[in-house]
Amino acid sequence: MLIQSNDTLQSDVSTFPIANEKFVCEKGPTLRRSPGPSASSSSSLSAKGVVVDGDSSSSPPSNNGNRFRNYPPSLPPKRLKRSCIQWVRMHIDHFLCSLLSLSILSVICTIAFAQSAQRAYSEEGRAMNSDERDYPDEKIVPDECYYIKRWGYEARVYDIVTDDGYILRMYRIIGGGGGSNDNSKKRPVLLGHGLFQCSGDFLLNEEKSLAFALVEQGYDVWLGNTRATGSVDHVSLSHRDPEYWAWGLKELGTYDWPTMIDFIREETGHHKIAYIGHSQGNAMAFVGLKLRHEVADKLSCFVALAPAVFSGTLVNKFPLKQLIAMNKRTFTVIFGSGAFIPIMSFAQRICHPVLFSHMAYSMFAYLFSWWDTHWLRRRKPKYFQFTPRPVSSQLISDWMEGWGKRGVCLHVTDASPIPFSTSSTVSKVPLTVFYGTDDFLIDGERLVQTFEGYENYGRVSPRDIPLRKTPESTKSGSGKSSLFPMLDLVHAQCIDGYEHMDNIWAHNNVITTYPAIFTALSTARWTANST
């Protein structure tokens, strides 16, 4: 089996050095690690969600109990021991994988640049939005704390550890909502990012960013990162070894997502939190709800932006169709068993932001139809400082195996039956779904139709109105079994002309999506016994 080495990845994909005892936030406060046991004891710690509190003005949280313990500052883990023959073979495999994957990437990029140039030529007469000329006083840096501080808020940085030892980085936004810095009484909201992305993608629309809009509504906003996106640290593994990358969609749903939820609940003292996901951020939540049923009781509501559960028509087009058709052995020979095409992260670090944004935009627009029709074009260099982020080849293989070949992401339809009483309305989590008519990556309409009473959604009535159950569904014994009986679908909205990224990057989200998101949060079930 060929192994893709990951030496082209930086030791920490974020801007905070792990080897030091404090994090430095540009133009912001100095963020320090909470005091803990000596570094020498780190190897004996159980990976049960230990935490680093990034707030320099407060003491370590006292309500963490045994679930979240202080994580000691330490040097990055050493490489795994291998014989000389194993090292040589690993580097040969790395070379072969790099050669094959770069050849494919070069062909795709050439076609993508040509298509992007042709589209730009055809849109020369495109009307410019008035905000295009309103350049804010911002730097273009891959640093969440910088943007949080730039727009008048404070950031707290937390490192938490999953049950399988991966260290996840989370950000908490302090301030807003009338100028109060006391988040203890505010209701917590967690934002989850998509594939190849990270938490910074919710901060890049200046003062109109979704994260800031939620803060101004009075919520305690948390930004989550899955493994390898905000930090490539592990309690015992080095990201330079392929063993670090042995994870896929199941691990995101059963380890990363529940760990972030549990930490926020214990840190804030709230029984329930609201979750807003985008793309894969929804897929891992649906997988988590399917495989870890108890998580549903910890959610006040679930807002799914462009939910990546069922695949759209792009799976039938070049080059995704050819990638999906590969068997696992061929996929592994080309892309290895480590990080997926790590050269992307290397190029992101060494290229000028404007140059890299042009390259990355062209490639993603060609592959996934991420067009900038509803974006402010001046924001693109910022967007692609946070996209792409490293992911594992196994994760991409999981997407190809389920979403690509089966039309639905793995673990959603083949999990064990859920022991949930469908007659109960108390424990169900309110679900709100947004998707666009020009989003060819996913099929949001098909997801809505899986819920009882909405089988004809999109066929006999407009798709952008509040849902109403069909009369047949109110009769006993309708026989319809939902994929997610713990969810109560309360609203679905199909936005005309929106593609996959418009749900978080469109310049007019304050009109198209934010009002319904605020409504979903204001009517959520925030207490254990709410109905």
Side-chain angles (χ1 to χ4, degrees), residues 1-3 89 93 97 100 323-337 393 397 401 405:
M1 179 178 293
L2 294 180
I3 297 175
R89 181 177 179 179
D93 289 346
C97 288
L100 292 171
L323 183 64
I324 292 168
M326 290 183 185
N327 58 47
K328 288 188 177 182
R329 179 174 178 79
T330 302
F331 184 92
T332 302
V333 167
I334 296 175
F335 299 107
S337 300
S393 292
S397 178
E401 185 66 25
K405 295 180 180 178

mmCIF file of all heavy atoms in Angstrom, residues 1-3 89 93 97 100 323-337 393 397 401 405:
data_model
loop_
_atom_site.group_PDB
_atom_site.id
_atom_site.type_symbol
_atom_site.label_atom_id
_atom_site.label_comp_id
_atom_site.label_asym_id
_atom_site.label_seq_id
_atom_site.Cartn_x
_atom_site.Cartn_y
_atom_site.Cartn_z
ATOM 1 N N MET A 1 0.846 -1.199 0.000
ATOM 2 C CA MET A 1 0.000 0.000 0.000
ATOM 3 C C MET A 1 0.880 1.248 0.000
ATOM 4 O O MET A 1 1.801 1.372 0.810
ATOM 5 C CB MET A 1 -0.900 0.019 1.241
ATOM 6 C CG MET A 1 -1.796 1.260 1.320
ATOM 7 S SD MET A 1 -2.874 1.221 2.773
ATOM 8 C CE MET A 1 -3.930 -0.144 2.343
ATOM 9 N N LEU A 2 0.607 2.173 -0.897
ATOM 10 C CA LEU A 2 1.396 3.394 -0.967
ATOM 11 C C LEU A 2 0.985 4.355 0.128
ATOM 12 O O LEU A 2 -0.170 4.448 0.500
ATOM 13 C CB LEU A 2 1.220 4.057 -2.339
ATOM 14 C CG LEU A 2 1.785 3.266 -3.514
ATOM 15 C CD1 LEU A 2 1.534 4.028 -4.800
ATOM 16 C CD2 LEU A 2 3.263 3.010 -3.339
ATOM 17 N N ILE A 3 1.955 5.083 0.633
ATOM 18 C CA ILE A 3 1.719 6.009 1.740
ATOM 19 C C ILE A 3 2.118 7.404 1.293
ATOM 20 O O ILE A 3 3.203 7.620 0.782
ATOM 21 C CB ILE A 3 2.521 5.607 2.989
ATOM 22 C CG1 ILE A 3 2.059 4.235 3.484
ATOM 23 C CG2 ILE A 3 2.370 6.635 4.082
ATOM 24 C CD1 ILE A 3 2.880 3.705 4.627
ATOM 25 N N ARG A 89 11.056 3.070 1.954
ATOM 26 C CA ARG A 89 9.836 2.730 1.223
ATOM 27 C C ARG A 89 8.785 3.829 1.353
ATOM 28 O O ARG A 89 8.100 4.150 0.380
ATOM 29 C CB ARG A 89 9.274 1.407 1.743
ATOM 30 C CG ARG A 89 8.013 0.995 1.010
ATOM 31 C CD ARG A 89 7.494 -0.353 1.463
ATOM 32 N NE ARG A 89 6.266 -0.678 0.749
ATOM 33 C CZ ARG A 89 5.583 -1.800 0.918
ATOM 34 N NH1 ARG A 89 6.022 -2.713 1.778
ATOM 35 N NH2 ARG A 89 4.481 -2.031 0.234
ATOM 36 N N ASP A 93 7.207 5.798 -1.799
ATOM 37 C CA ASP A 93 5.753 5.857 -1.992
ATOM 38 C C ASP A 93 5.283 7.303 -2.047
ATOM 39 O O ASP A 93 4.395 7.661 -2.838
ATOM 40 C CB ASP A 93 5.049 5.116 -0.857
ATOM 41 C CG ASP A 93 5.234 3.613 -0.956
ATOM 42 O OD1 ASP A 93 5.668 3.141 -2.018
ATOM 43 O OD2 ASP A 93 4.944 2.916 0.035
ATOM 44 N N CYS A 97 3.263 8.878 -5.198
ATOM 45 C CA CYS A 97 1.939 9.483 -4.987
ATOM 46 C C CYS A 97 1.932 10.945 -5.412
ATOM 47 O O CYS A 97 0.993 11.411 -6.068
ATOM 48 C CB CYS A 97 1.540 9.379 -3.516
ATOM 49 S SG CYS A 97 1.121 7.721 -2.967
ATOM 50 N N LEU A 100 1.930 11.200 -9.257
ATOM 51 C CA LEU A 100 0.640 10.860 -9.858
ATOM 52 C C LEU A 100 -0.422 11.907 -9.557
ATOM 53 O O LEU A 100 -1.149 12.355 -10.454
ATOM 54 C CB LEU A 100 0.189 9.485 -9.349
ATOM 55 C CG LEU A 100 1.012 8.280 -9.824
ATOM 56 C CD1 LEU A 100 0.590 7.023 -9.078
ATOM 57 C CD2 LEU A 100 0.866 8.092 -11.326
ATOM 58 N N LEU A 323 -13.243 10.318 -10.776
ATOM 59 C CA LEU A 323 -12.684 10.120 -9.436
ATOM 60 C C LEU A 323 -13.537 9.145 -8.630
ATOM 61 O O LEU A 323 -13.012 8.257 -7.940
ATOM 62 C CB LEU A 323 -12.589 11.465 -8.711
ATOM 63 C CG LEU A 323 -11.960 11.456 -7.316
ATOM 64 C CD1 LEU A 323 -10.501 11.032 -7.385
ATOM 65 C CD2 LEU A 323 -12.080 12.838 -6.668
ATOM 66 N N ILE A 324 -14.840 9.280 -8.731
ATOM 67 C CA ILE A 324 -15.759 8.402 -8.011
ATOM 68 C C ILE A 324 -15.654 6.962 -8.519
ATOM 69 O O ILE A 324 -15.781 6.006 -7.747
ATOM 70 C CB ILE A 324 -17.198 8.926 -8.150
ATOM 71 C CG1 ILE A 324 -17.354 10.258 -7.400
ATOM 72 C CG2 ILE A 324 -18.218 7.915 -7.655
ATOM 73 C CD1 ILE A 324 -18.630 11.001 -7.705
ATOM 74 N N ALA A 325 -15.389 6.807 -9.800
ATOM 75 C CA ALA A 325 -15.344 5.469 -10.394
ATOM 76 C C ALA A 325 -14.105 4.675 -9.992
ATOM 77 O O ALA A 325 -14.054 3.462 -10.206
ATOM 78 C CB ALA A 325 -15.421 5.576 -11.916
ATOM 79 N N MET A 326 -13.106 5.327 -9.410
ATOM 80 C CA MET A 326 -11.895 4.613 -9.001
ATOM 81 C C MET A 326 -12.200 3.611 -7.891
ATOM 82 O O MET A 326 -12.993 3.889 -6.998
ATOM 83 C CB MET A 326 -10.848 5.601 -8.462
ATOM 84 C CG MET A 326 -10.226 6.494 -9.474
ATOM 85 S SD MET A 326 -8.962 7.544 -8.694
ATOM 86 C CE MET A 326 -8.515 8.591 -10.067
ATOM 87 N N ASN A 327 -11.553 2.446 -7.967
ATOM 88 C CA ASN A 327 -11.645 1.543 -6.828
ATOM 89 C C ASN A 327 -10.684 2.025 -5.742
ATOM 90 O O ASN A 327 -9.826 2.881 -5.981
ATOM 91 C CB ASN A 327 -11.353 0.099 -7.223
ATOM 92 C CG ASN A 327 -9.974 -0.068 -7.844
ATOM 93 O OD1 ASN A 327 -8.970 0.425 -7.333
ATOM 94 N ND2 ASN A 327 -9.917 -0.775 -8.981
ATOM 95 N N LYS A 328 -10.811 1.470 -4.547
ATOM 96 C CA LYS A 328 -10.039 1.972 -3.415
ATOM 97 C C LYS A 328 -8.542 1.798 -3.611
ATOM 98 O O LYS A 328 -7.753 2.654 -3.191
ATOM 99 C CB LYS A 328 -10.494 1.279 -2.135
ATOM 100 C CG LYS A 328 -11.875 1.723 -1.656
ATOM 101 C CD LYS A 328 -12.206 1.150 -0.294
ATOM 102 C CE LYS A 328 -13.544 1.663 0.203
ATOM 103 N NZ LYS A 328 -13.871 1.141 1.558
ATOM 104 N N ARG A 329 -8.153 0.709 -4.233
ATOM 105 C CA ARG A 329 -6.725 0.472 -4.434
ATOM 106 C C ARG A 329 -6.120 1.524 -5.370
ATOM 107 O O ARG A 329 -5.058 2.082 -5.090
ATOM 108 C CB ARG A 329 -6.485 -0.930 -4.983
ATOM 109 C CG ARG A 329 -5.013 -1.238 -5.233
ATOM 110 C CD ARG A 329 -4.794 -2.687 -5.633
ATOM 111 N NE ARG A 329 -3.393 -2.947 -5.908
ATOM 112 C CZ ARG A 329 -2.468 -3.153 -4.983
ATOM 113 N NH1 ARG A 329 -2.801 -3.130 -3.697
ATOM 114 N NH2 ARG A 329 -1.210 -3.393 -5.318
ATOM 115 N N THR A 330 -6.814 1.801 -6.469
ATOM 116 C CA THR A 330 -6.321 2.815 -7.404
ATOM 117 C C THR A 330 -6.280 4.185 -6.743
ATOM 118 O O THR A 330 -5.317 4.946 -6.910
ATOM 119 C CB THR A 330 -7.218 2.862 -8.651
ATOM 120 O OG1 THR A 330 -7.257 1.572 -9.265
ATOM 121 C CG2 THR A 330 -6.709 3.897 -9.645
ATOM 122 N N PHE A 331 -7.321 4.498 -5.962
ATOM 123 C CA PHE A 331 -7.368 5.772 -5.252
ATOM 124 C C PHE A 331 -6.172 5.898 -4.316
ATOM 125 O O PHE A 331 -5.528 6.960 -4.237
ATOM 126 C CB PHE A 331 -8.678 5.879 -4.470
ATOM 127 C CG PHE A 331 -8.868 7.188 -3.768
ATOM 128 C CD1 PHE A 331 -9.532 8.231 -4.389
ATOM 129 C CD2 PHE A 331 -8.382 7.384 -2.478
ATOM 130 C CE1 PHE A 331 -9.710 9.447 -3.735
ATOM 131 C CE2 PHE A 331 -8.556 8.585 -1.820
ATOM 132 C CZ PHE A 331 -9.223 9.623 -2.453
ATOM 133 N N THR A 332 -5.847 4.829 -3.586
ATOM 134 C CA THR A 332 -4.739 4.857 -2.640
ATOM 135 C C THR A 332 -3.400 4.981 -3.350
ATOM 136 O O THR A 332 -2.496 5.674 -2.883
ATOM 137 C CB THR A 332 -4.753 3.588 -1.765
ATOM 138 O OG1 THR A 332 -6.003 3.497 -1.090
ATOM 139 C CG2 THR A 332 -3.634 3.631 -0.736
ATOM 140 N N VAL A 333 -3.246 4.305 -4.484
ATOM 141 C CA VAL A 333 -2.007 4.401 -5.248
ATOM 142 C C VAL A 333 -1.753 5.842 -5.688
ATOM 143 O O VAL A 333 -0.623 6.340 -5.635
ATOM 144 C CB VAL A 333 -2.055 3.464 -6.476
ATOM 145 C CG1 VAL A 333 -0.917 3.779 -7.444
ATOM 146 C CG2 VAL A 333 -1.981 2.012 -6.030
ATOM 147 N N ILE A 334 -2.812 6.555 -6.089
ATOM 148 C CA ILE A 334 -2.659 7.922 -6.600
ATOM 149 C C ILE A 334 -2.541 8.939 -5.480
ATOM 150 O O ILE A 334 -1.683 9.832 -5.517
ATOM 151 C CB ILE A 334 -3.840 8.271 -7.518
ATOM 152 C CG1 ILE A 334 -3.824 7.364 -8.751
ATOM 153 C CG2 ILE A 334 -3.777 9.735 -7.947
ATOM 154 C CD1 ILE A 334 -5.011 7.552 -9.668
ATOM 155 N N PHE A 335 -3.393 8.819 -4.467
ATOM 156 C CA PHE A 335 -3.474 9.867 -3.440
ATOM 157 C C PHE A 335 -2.876 9.473 -2.094
ATOM 158 O O PHE A 335 -2.815 10.302 -1.186
ATOM 159 C CB PHE A 335 -4.933 10.285 -3.252
ATOM 160 C CG PHE A 335 -5.548 10.861 -4.496
ATOM 161 C CD1 PHE A 335 -6.469 10.142 -5.238
ATOM 162 C CD2 PHE A 335 -5.181 12.118 -4.949
ATOM 163 C CE1 PHE A 335 -7.029 10.658 -6.395
ATOM 164 C CE2 PHE A 335 -5.735 12.653 -6.107
ATOM 165 C CZ PHE A 335 -6.662 11.918 -6.832
ATOM 166 N N GLY A 336 -2.440 8.225 -1.954
ATOM 167 C CA GLY A 336 -1.779 7.820 -0.732
ATOM 168 C C GLY A 336 -2.728 7.594 0.422
ATOM 169 O O GLY A 336 -3.948 7.585 0.277
ATOM 170 N N SER A 337 -2.119 7.407 1.610
ATOM 171 C CA SER A 337 -2.894 7.153 2.831
ATOM 172 C C SER A 337 -2.673 8.229 3.880
ATOM 173 O O SER A 337 -2.967 8.023 5.051
ATOM 174 C CB SER A 337 -2.512 5.783 3.411
ATOM 175 O OG SER A 337 -2.778 4.755 2.495
ATOM 176 N N SER A 393 -6.831 11.618 3.044
ATOM 177 C CA SER A 393 -7.249 10.911 1.835
ATOM 178 C C SER A 393 -8.389 9.951 2.138
ATOM 179 O O SER A 393 -9.263 9.722 1.294
ATOM 180 C CB SER A 393 -6.060 10.152 1.233
ATOM 181 O OG SER A 393 -5.092 11.042 0.723
ATOM 182 N N SER A 397 -11.981 9.533 0.284
ATOM 183 C CA SER A 397 -12.433 8.219 -0.163
ATOM 184 C C SER A 397 -13.824 7.898 0.384
ATOM 185 O O SER A 397 -14.665 7.323 -0.328
ATOM 186 C CB SER A 397 -11.431 7.153 0.290
ATOM 187 O OG SER A 397 -11.851 5.864 -0.087
ATOM 188 N N GLU A 401 -17.083 7.046 -1.833
ATOM 189 C CA GLU A 401 -17.751 5.760 -1.656
ATOM 190 C C GLU A 401 -19.235 5.925 -1.363
ATOM 191 O O GLU A 401 -20.058 5.149 -1.869
ATOM 192 C CB GLU A 401 -17.069 4.977 -0.524
ATOM 193 C CG GLU A 401 -17.610 3.570 -0.326
ATOM 194 C CD GLU A 401 -17.320 2.652 -1.499
ATOM 195 O OE1 GLU A 401 -16.338 2.904 -2.228
ATOM 196 O OE2 GLU A 401 -18.067 1.669 -1.688
ATOM 197 N N LYS A 405 -20.875 7.251 -5.000
ATOM 198 C CA LYS A 405 -21.361 6.012 -5.602
ATOM 199 C C LYS A 405 -22.780 5.661 -5.185
ATOM 200 O O LYS A 405 -23.547 5.109 -5.976
ATOM 201 C CB LYS A 405 -20.409 4.869 -5.243
ATOM 202 C CG LYS A 405 -19.020 5.015 -5.839
ATOM 203 C CD LYS A 405 -18.117 3.857 -5.458
ATOM 204 C CE LYS A 405 -16.728 4.021 -6.066
ATOM 205 N NZ LYS A 405 -15.807 2.930 -5.678
#
